[in-house]
Amino acid sequence: MEQPRDSMRFSIVVPAYNEAAYLGRALDSLLHQDFNGRYEVIVVDNNSTDGTAAVAAQYGVSVVKEPQQGVCAARQRGADCATGEIIISTDADTTQPRDWLRTIDARFAESERVVAVAGPCRYQDPSWWAKAFPVLLFGLVAKVYALTGFVFYVSATNIAVRRTAFPGYDLKLTQGGDELDLVRRLRPRGHVSWERQNVVTTSSPMTVALRPVV
């Protein structure tokens, strides 16, 4: 079903804890999408001690604070503030292709049964194993989806959920609550769609591990 172009189509939620060094690149990517509908970007400052909130403010996006530490709490805070028909989860160290939103929009427009659209990620400047791992993992996700229509894994840095089907995050979970638990509770509500070509780029695990805590 075609959506009115003057309605808020997407709310993109970006949790951020001490991400000042990365956030600008992420926001530049989000604000230069070729999607012609309305969307908002919500940065959730999760008790940062660096200039994360100031960087977000410079880009003119919405900035909210979440005092409860943890990515599920931060994502939930952003979802609570969202006004869009579709809530999108991504991360502060992630960049998207220019047609990312347009691709997601097209998948949702195919059917009202689609409650979520997910896609793969890859790592920025990866080591050999960090380059191979997402190719193997998301390649398997794509094959299983092609054969069965079942999505067994999603990345929290690349998933969009229809607001009417959004179950919320389990704030008691610290690992997988914004990925595996979310997709598990979405499946009974409708179809979770996989878009294998809609790839985002995020920091490698080694880069994240070596970041200084400010």
Side-chain angles (χ1 to χ4, degrees), residues 18-175:
N18 289 348
E19 296 282 4
Y22 298 87
L23 183 58
R25 186 175 60 182
L27 294 179
D28 188 65
S29 172
L30 291 174
L31 295 175
H32 288 86
Q33 292 289 301
D34 64 9
F35 176 64
N36 63 6
R38 293 185 63 208
Y39 66 98
E40 62 182 353
V41 178
I42 303 170
V43 173
V44 184
D45 181 9
N46 197 200
N47 300 313
S48 297
T49 57
D50 65 356
T52 291
V55 171
Q58 289 173 3
Y59 281 82
V61 301
S62 298
V63 184
V64 299
K65 294 186 179 296
E66 173 49 54
Q68 180 178 336
Q69 199 69 46
V71 70
C72 286
R75 293 196 200 279
Q76 185 63 55
R77 172 65 169 157
D80 291 341
C81 296
T83 63
E85 299 161 352
I86 295 165
I87 301 169
I88 302 183
S89 166
T90 190
D91 285 315
D93 60 351
T94 300
T95 58
Q96 297 78 16
R98 277 181 54 82
D99 63 348
W100 184 61
L101 288 182
R102 183 160 52 85
T103 301
I104 292 171
D105 185 57
R107 276 300 181 104
F108 276 108
E110 289 176 357
S111 172
E112 291 292 325
R113 289 190 60 251
V114 175
V115 296
V117 176
C121 70
R122 64 187 176 200
Y123 295 126
Q124 181 77 33
D125 301 322
S127 61
W128 69 267
W129 66 267
K131 183 176 182 179
F133 176 73
V135 172
L136 294 173
L137 172 60
F138 293 118
L140 181 59
V141 173
K143 287 184 181 299
V144 172
Y145 179 75
L147 290 172
T148 67
F150 181 80
V151 177
F152 70 85
Y153 179 80
V154 298
S155 168
T157 199
N158 192 4
I159 181 169
V161 180
R162 202 181 293 274
R163 173 189 288 280
T164 54
F166 180 62
Y169 296 103
D170 186 341
L171 303 188
K172 299 187 300 294
L173 297 177
T174 57
Q175 297 292 330

